[in-house]
């Protein structure tokens, strides 16, 4: 029998999401890792009946979950919500089929074989209730978890070993057995695999993963690849349509402020906790150019190309649904310009400031000159005060700009910036769907 999952060990947002799926009449169940439902850190893997594919997004949207998947997501749909009490994300990774091997996107969908069981619908129909939540039946749970470990991960993590050993006693009565029975290589059988799991001989089972995938497509390789190619092209067509309509794209954020405001640390902290995020340093100046006039002159024609290359990297990440945080941006060119040749510099930097399209969100970290000087004492307080005024002016002029008090501790500042970005992300996803 499955371990009982009680309300006391389930994160509140997870509980709300599960209830929303039930209210909508969606056929769903947990795939594995029932013990981790109390945490907002781990992804929660769900199996949903293919017939309910189009209804899951509206059901989850009602309780604050938005799609996080981008271009090339393949057979998976990913939904997330920000937990206000912990500033962490609850991620639901939804699959509509029990297939194992390379991710089902266009690039690899027809080049590399996969083990497609075709048993998702029947396994969903066999789901059982555990303390108010749907889970796979014990037999189906054993095979789904084992295949995930030996085919997808090629490793049986310690946290899964005890679960597999427990479920092995009930593993023989599953529709997945019928799929796997003709695929075992010589010297193996369903009973031997179950015995190996019961005796915790998992090293012996890991090697079976690649053999299962190869044998699954060996009988009809051309038909398999043709079917996979057709599925991949349909997904590619959907992805290109989404690009044209700005659906499922990510979000670009420019993080600005003088040295000492905490830009880099804030950017990296948020990127480390965001489900899919990348930071790109967009600084206009190279420290080794300071005081070298000829090096600075040589840099003049190269700087716009370097800026655009970084911007295009961020644009490519956005297409995958990722959050892109630019540490600095072209708006930094609007900061005060020092002599000599201040007039010419202003003209050049004004052009640089308009080099790239505006990001979706601009966050200006606003700290007092004294605070910034304490953090980075290499600049005088008067200079920092002037820079602070310049960046406050940028915040007033730049589109979609927000000013954030950076005098506070780093954790509080990160929480505020994360919430601000998340609200913008939700608004963008809501607008584009």
């Amino acid at each position: 029998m499955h371990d009982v999952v009680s309300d006391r060990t389930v994160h509140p947002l997870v509980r709300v999401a599960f209830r929303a799926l039930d209210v909508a009449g969606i056929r769903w169940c947990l795939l594995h890792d029932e013990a981790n439902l109390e945490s907002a850190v781990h992804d929660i893997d769900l199996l949903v009946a293919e017939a309910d594919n189009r209804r899951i997004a509206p059901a989850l949207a009602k309780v604050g979950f938005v799609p996080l998947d981008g271009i090339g997501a393949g057979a998976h749909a990913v939904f997330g919500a920000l937990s206000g009490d912990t500033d962490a994300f609850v991620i639901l990774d939804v699959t509509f089929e029990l297939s194992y091997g390379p991710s089902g996107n266009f690039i690899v969908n027809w080049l590399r074989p996969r083990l497609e069981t075709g048993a998702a619908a029947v396994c969903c129909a066999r789901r059982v209730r555990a303390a108010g939540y749907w889970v796979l039946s014990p037999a189906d749970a054993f095979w789904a978890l084992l295949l995930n470990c030996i085919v997808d991960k090629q490793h049986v993590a310690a946290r899964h070993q005890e679960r597999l050993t427990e479920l092995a006693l009930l593993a023989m009565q599953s529709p997945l057995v019928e799929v796997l029975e003709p695929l075992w290589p010589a010297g193996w059988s369903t009973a031997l695999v179950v015995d190996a799991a019961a005796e915790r001989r998992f090293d012996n089972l890991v090697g079976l993963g690649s053999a299962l995938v190869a044998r699954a497509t060996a009988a009809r390789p051309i038909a398999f690849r043709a079917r996979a190619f057709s599925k991949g092209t349909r997904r590619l067509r959907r992805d290109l349509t989404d690009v044209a309509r700005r659906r499922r794209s990510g979000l670009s954020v420019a993080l600005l402020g003088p040295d000492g405001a905490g830009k880099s640390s804030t950017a990296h902290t948020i990127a480390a906790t965001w489900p899919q995020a990348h930071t790109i340093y967009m600084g206009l100046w190279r420290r080794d150019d300071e005081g070298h006039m000829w090096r600075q002159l040589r840099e003049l024609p190269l700087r716009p190309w370097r800026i655009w290359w970084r911007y295009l990297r961020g644009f490519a990440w956005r297409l995958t649904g990722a959050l892109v945080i630019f540490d600095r941006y072209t708006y930094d060119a609007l900061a005060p310009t020092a002599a000599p040749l201040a007039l010419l510099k202003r003209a050049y930097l004004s052009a640089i400031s308009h080099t790239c399209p505006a990001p979706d969100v601009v966050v200006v970290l606003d700290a007092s000159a004294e605070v910034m000087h304490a953090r980075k004492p290499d600049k005088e307080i008067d200079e920092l005060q002037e820079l602070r005024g310049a960046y406050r002016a940028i915040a007033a002029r730049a589109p979609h700009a927000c000013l954030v008090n950076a005098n506070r501790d780093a954790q509080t500042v990160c929480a505020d910036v994360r919430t601000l970005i998340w609200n913008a992300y939700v608004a963008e996803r809501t607008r584009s769907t």
Side-chain angles (χ1 to χ4, degrees):
M1 192 67 183
H2 268 269
D3 291 338
V4 173
V5 182
S6 68
D7 279 353
R8 292 191 303 274
T9 61
V10 177
H11 190 278
L13 270 179
V14 176
R15 190 185 308 127
V16 167
F18 288 174
R19 188 175 299 122
L21 296 177
D22 284 339
V23 169
I26 292 172
R27 291 160 292 177
W28 67 277
C29 61
L30 289 166
L31 271 177
H32 40 70
D33 280 342
E34 296 95 323
N36 287 327
L37 296 181
E38 79 283 357
S39 172
V41 177
H42 304 281
D43 292 4
I44 298 170
D45 296 310
L46 303 181
L47 176 66
V48 172
E50 177 64 31
D52 295 330
N53 188 337
R54 295 182 179 276
R55 296 197 296 129
I56 188 169
L60 290 175
K62 294 179 180 178
V63 292
F65 282 79
V66 297
L68 299 180
D69 53 313
I71 306 305
H76 288 250
V78 183
F79 300 87
L82 180 63
S83 174
D85 56 341
T86 61
D87 288 320
F89 287 92
V90 172
I91 308 298
L92 305 179
D93 189 343
V94 180
T95 185
F96 305 98
E97 54 189 49
L98 288 175
S99 297
Y100 302 91
S103 177
N105 57 44
F106 176 79
I107 297 174
V108 301
N109 207 42
W110 58 284
L111 292 175
R112 298 175 62 187
R114 285 171 56 81
L115 172 56
E116 297 183 350
T117 67
V122 65
C123 287
C124 257
R126 285 162 47 88
R127 61 184 181 158
V128 297
R129 202 76 168 168
Y133 307 105
W134 294 108
V135 294
L136 285 169
S137 70
D140 298 343
F142 171 83
W143 294 109
L145 180 56
L146 181 67
L147 291 173
N148 176 262
C149 291
I150 68 174
V151 178
D152 290 341
K153 310 296 185 185
Q154 297 183 342
H155 170 70
V156 182
R159 72 179 189 276
H160 294 317
Q161 293 182 11
E162 183 176 352
R163 185 66 174 149
L164 285 168
T165 300
E166 173 193 342
L167 292 172
L169 300 174
L170 305 166
M172 297 302 294
Q173 302 299 320
S174 171
L176 292 169
V177 171
E178 300 176 16
V179 175
L180 296 171
E181 190 68 47
L183 301 180
W184 300 122
W188 284 97
S189 67
T190 300
L192 290 175
V193 171
V194 171
D195 288 344
E199 297 168 5
R200 300 198 176 208
R201 290 185 281 111
F202 294 107
D203 289 342
N204 297 341
L205 297 177
V206 170
L208 291 176
S210 57
L212 287 172
V213 172
R215 291 171 66 86
T217 56
R220 302 177 64 191
I222 296 177
F224 170 83
R225 281 175 170 76
R227 184 173 66 253
F229 181 78
S230 175
K231 185 185 295 184
T233 52
R234 288 196 301 271
R235 288 172 179 155
L236 177 63
R237 184 169 62 248
R238 182 194 63 183
D239 285 350
L240 293 176
T241 301
D242 287 346
V243 169
R245 298 179 180 178
R246 287 201 64 188
R247 293 176 179 170
R248 295 196 295 143
S249 62
L251 196 76
S252 62
V253 177
L255 204 55
L256 307 179
D259 289 344
K263 298 181 302 300
S264 297
S265 59
T266 300
H268 289 294
T269 299
I270 293 175
T273 56
W274 199 274
Q276 186 185 3
H278 302 274
T279 60
I280 296 178
Y281 181 70
M282 202 71 160
L284 303 179
W285 325 119
R286 295 173 52 172
R287 292 186 181 275
D288 58 356
D289 287 344
E290 294 180 2
H292 298 276
M293 180 174 292
W294 289 111
R295 195 176 295 173
Q296 292 180 23
L297 291 174
R298 187 181 60 191
E299 184 73 11
L300 292 179
L302 298 177
R303 187 172 287 122
W305 296 102
R306 186 177 295 115
I307 291 169
W308 257 98
W309 169 245
R310 293 169 182 171
Y311 173 81
L312 290 176
R313 281 173 52 206
F315 180 79
W317 283 122
R318 279 194 60 202
L319 291 182
T320 68
L323 167 69
V324 177
I325 303 177
F326 291 106
D327 181 359
R328 297 189 177 275
Y329 204 66
T330 55
Y331 298 146
D332 285 304
L334 299 174
T337 304
L341 304 177
L343 190 62
L344 290 176
K345 286 181 179 179
R346 278 198 293 271
Y348 173 75
L349 294 176
S350 177
I352 288 291
S353 69
H354 296 89
T355 301
C356 295
D360 297 311
V361 179
V362 176
V363 178
V364 178
L365 298 182
D366 180 44
S368 69
E370 292 75 16
V371 169
M372 290 188 287
H373 181 71
R375 296 172 181 170
K376 293 283 185 72
D378 54 326
K379 283 186 169 61
E380 298 298 328
I381 289 182
D382 290 345
E383 182 183 1
L384 289 171
Q385 188 62 42
E386 184 182 8
L387 285 171
R388 182 190 186 190
Y391 278 99
R392 290 173 71 93
I394 291 172
R397 293 173 53 186
H400 316 297
C402 302
L403 204 64
V404 174
N405 179 5
N407 287 324
R408 301 164 297 169
D409 64 275
Q411 185 176 359
T412 302
V413 173
C414 282
D416 282 359
V417 174
R418 186 187 294 109
T419 300
L420 191 155
I421 294 173
W422 175 250
N423 290 339
Y425 188 94
V426 172
E428 173 67 15
R429 281 302 176 104
T430 303
R431 182 196 66 80
S432 62
T433 54

